[in-house]
Amino acid sequence: MTTRRSFLKHTGGSLALASVSPALSLANSPETRGSSGDDLFKLGMAGFTFVNFKLDQALEMMRKTDVHYLCIKDFHLPYASTADEITAFHEKLKQSGVTGYAVGPIYMKTKQEIDNGFDYAKRVGVNLMVGIPNPEDLPYIDKKVKEYNIRYAIHNHGPDIPLFPSATSVYTAVKDLDPRIGLCFDMGHDKRFGDDPIADLEKYAKRIFDIHLKNVTAASKEGKTCELGRGVIDIPAFVSMLRKIKYDGSCSLEYEKDMKDPLAGIAESVGYFNGVCDTSKPGKRKA
């Protein structure tokens, strides 16, 4: 477990840095803290965190908190974007030191929407799409994955809706399909469903392609998103399991609290995650 001193050091630093320039923020980045070795996983942001903000505002928050990977949502890059618009989007991300590594989540209720989703991912230039399909369309998604060679990660949504509420429900549906079909593992919703996200991380490791990093206030439907270090999920134990399974994807913070003013909570959560990683092992995540 992180010590109180190390938690305050990293969290306080991120909160303070959120109000200063990106150049100063880089001075406290994981690459400059003097640690050695690399974790395979990386810290990112789930685009839904910024649903109330324009792209420039979202990138500014990412610069201030020194996060460099983004799962792209359509409110920042519409599905009908032209090739020139997609190029300009990527250039804007590049100027902020951000890489768009995936698209989604995308709800897909028809075969046409599935076709559109795969076409969108291909045009955006990513090899991972987070989706929420109807179970009866999984054979068609299996076909599209083979055609496009794009991984498809199904997002679990907890007890709020019956469609893929848990990691187990996703795994059961996809385990006999193409191995490029797996999970976008929302650890918070998994906990709210009453399951153990640390045990599920280990159990379904080979099918977990993306993680929505979050904590929640309770292991029930009433649980709400909270700052990463303040909820009921044992984040240090989760990080230890990431290392045990050699997870090499993104842990993308999906911060769904104070969504019209999320910067302080994002900064605290990023600082806490960095503190857990830095104090639990002499290593650092890859940039």
Side-chain angles (χ1 to χ4, degrees):
M1 297 288 285
T2 58
T3 65
R4 182 175 182 273
R5 179 178 297 177
S6 66
F7 167 75
L8 291 173
K9 174 184 174 183
H10 289 92
T11 302
S14 288
L15 287 167
L17 288 165
S19 65
V20 300
S21 72
L24 288 176
S25 179
L26 289 173
N28 196 45
S29 71
E31 291 69 47
T32 58
R33 291 193 196 123
S35 55
S36 60
D38 286 318
D39 279 324
L40 298 175
F41 56 88
K42 56 187 179 289
L43 177 62
M45 290 297 304
F48 185 68
T49 300
F50 303 120
V51 65
N52 294 307
F53 298 90
K54 301 294 186 182
L55 179 61
D56 287 340
Q57 296 171 305
L59 293 175
E60 178 66 14
M61 282 186 268
M62 292 182 70
R63 284 194 296 270
K64 287 179 174 180
T65 53
D66 197 25
V67 179
H68 300 279
Y69 294 88
L70 176 68
C71 188
I72 301 164
K73 280 291 290 179
D74 61 292
F75 47 73
H76 286 149
L77 184 64
Y79 298 138
S81 296
T82 65
D84 287 344
E85 288 168 337
I86 291 171
T87 297
F89 176 88
H90 284 305
E91 181 58 33
K92 180 170 284 192
L93 264 58
K94 183 179 178 181
Q95 290 172 2
S96 293
V98 172
T99 297
Y101 74 90
V103 295
I106 302 173
Y107 279 89
M108 299 174 175
K109 299 299 185 184
T110 66
K111 287 184 171 61
Q112 184 61 58
E113 289 179 347
I114 294 170
D115 290 346
N116 293 345
F118 276 91
D119 178 68
Y120 174 68
K122 180 180 179 180
R123 290 187 294 108
V124 174
V126 296
N127 64 7
L128 175 63
M129 173 168 49
V130 180
I132 304 97
N134 290 330
E136 62 269 22
D137 288 330
L138 286 174
Y140 189 69
I141 289 171
D142 188 80
K143 175 183 175 182
K144 301 300 286 188
V145 163
K146 292 179 171 70
E147 177 184 347
Y148 281 82
N149 190 28
I150 291 174
R151 292 180 301 158
Y152 188 91
I154 298 175
H155 184 279
N156 59 291
H157 272 91
D160 303 294
I161 59 175
L163 184 63
F164 300 115
S166 65
T168 299
S169 67
V170 177
Y171 179 79
T172 301
V174 307
K175 62 184 176 65
D176 297 323
L177 300 177
D178 190 287
R180 288 165 290 192
I181 303 175
L183 292 90
C184 172
F185 182 41
D186 190 307
M187 55 194 284
H189 286 323
D190 201 56
K191 186 71 171 180
R192 292 177 60 247
F193 188 71
D195 289 347
D196 181 348
I198 298 167
D200 285 348
L201 176 62
E202 181 176 31
K203 190 183 303 183
Y204 306 125
K206 291 183 179 179
R207 290 281 187 158
I208 293 177
F209 305 152
D210 195 28
I211 291 174
H212 278 180
L213 182 68
K214 65 176 64 168
N215 215 330
V216 292
T217 57
S220 66
K221 185 175 182 178
E222 291 70 36
K224 305 295 183 184
T225 300
C226 60
E227 292 81 0
L228 199 61
R230 303 192 188 198
V232 296
I233 300 174
D234 185 342
I235 301 301
F238 192 85
V239 168
S240 294
M241 186 57 70
L242 291 171
R243 290 170 174 153
K244 179 179 178 181
I245 67 172
K246 295 180 170 57
Y247 177 69
D248 62 359
S250 178
C251 295
S252 285
L253 180 69
E254 187 173 43
Y255 190 69
E256 297 173 300
K257 178 186 177 186
D258 306 322
M259 294 192 75
K260 293 188 176 180
D261 187 20
L263 181 55
I266 292 171
E268 179 179 330
S269 298
V270 168
Y272 181 81
F273 189 71
N274 286 338
V276 168
C277 292
D278 285 354
T279 59
S280 60
K281 178 184 176 182
K284 60 183 181 182
R285 295 179 313 287
K286 64 184 180 181

